[in-house]
């Protein structure tokens, strides 16, 4: 009975010492190892990025249209805070925050005669 109590006490001391050591800071540990203290770390504001998928372009006398992310748009309309500036045969120019970007069709189609 005395041996059981001694062994139980030793195991309890071992468990408590392991848990106490896990909260201590190790200056020799590599960066990112162990628990990270977020006291002084300021979370950066995540910037939401939008991706534009040009699926189709229609050029006609009534006005050019483009299908971007499933929406049918004409020049001057907006999609996800970006303005459609120009619609051409195989590409569309967007303006967002004063910056121009061009999205192109992955597989341009030949012109269809009517």
């Amino acid at each position: 009975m005395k041996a059981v109590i001694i062994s139980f006490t030793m195991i309890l001391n071992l468990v408590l010492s392991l848990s106490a050591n896990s909260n201590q800071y190790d200056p020799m540990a590599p960066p990112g190892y162990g628990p990270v203290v977020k006291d002084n770390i300021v979370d950066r504001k995540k910037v939401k990025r939008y991706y534009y998928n040009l699926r189709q372009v229609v050029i006609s006398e009534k006005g050019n249209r483009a299908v971007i992310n499933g929406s049918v748009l004409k020049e001057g309309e907006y999609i996800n805070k970006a303005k459609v500036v120009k619609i051409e045969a195989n590409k569309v120019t967007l303006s967002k925050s004063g910056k121009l970007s061009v999205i192109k069709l992955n597989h341009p189609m030949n012109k269809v005669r009517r």
Side-chain angles (χ1 to χ4, degrees), residues 31-111:
Y33 181 80
V36 177
V37 179
K38 292 189 177 184
D39 298 358
N40 300 327
I41 299 175
V42 177
D43 292 333
R44 294 182 185 177
K45 183 179 179 183
K46 292 185 178 180
V47 177
K48 193 171 191 178
R49 295 186 182 219
Y50 295 103
Y51 296 97
Y52 303 101
N53 186 9
L54 179 61
R55 300 294 292 171
Q56 185 178 12
V57 174
V58 177
I59 306 292
S60 70
E61 295 84 24
K62 296 178 184 178
N64 301 340
R65 301 278 195 267
V67 178
I68 303 171
N69 295 351
S71 299
V72 180
L73 303 166
K74 60 184 178 180
E75 292 178 357
E77 293 184 336
Y78 288 85
I79 181 167
N80 295 337
K81 300 180 182 180
K83 182 178 180 181
V84 178
V85 177
K86 189 172 185 181
I87 299 175
E88 298 178 52
N90 292 322
K91 63 183 177 178
V92 174
T93 305
L94 300 175
S95 173
K96 183 175 180 182
S97 302
K99 296 180 182 178
L100 293 177
S101 61
V102 177
I103 53 175
K104 297 181 180 181
L105 283 172
N106 289 337
H107 302 286
M109 298 180 68
N110 296 331
K111 187 174 181 180

Side-chain angles (χ1 to χ4, degrees), residues 11-35:
I11 292 173
L12 184 62
N13 284 337
L14 178 65
V15 169
L16 291 175
S17 68
L18 288 176
S19 65
N21 288 337
S22 66
N23 295 332
Q24 293 180 352
Y25 174 72
D26 182 10
M28 298 305 292
Y33 181 80

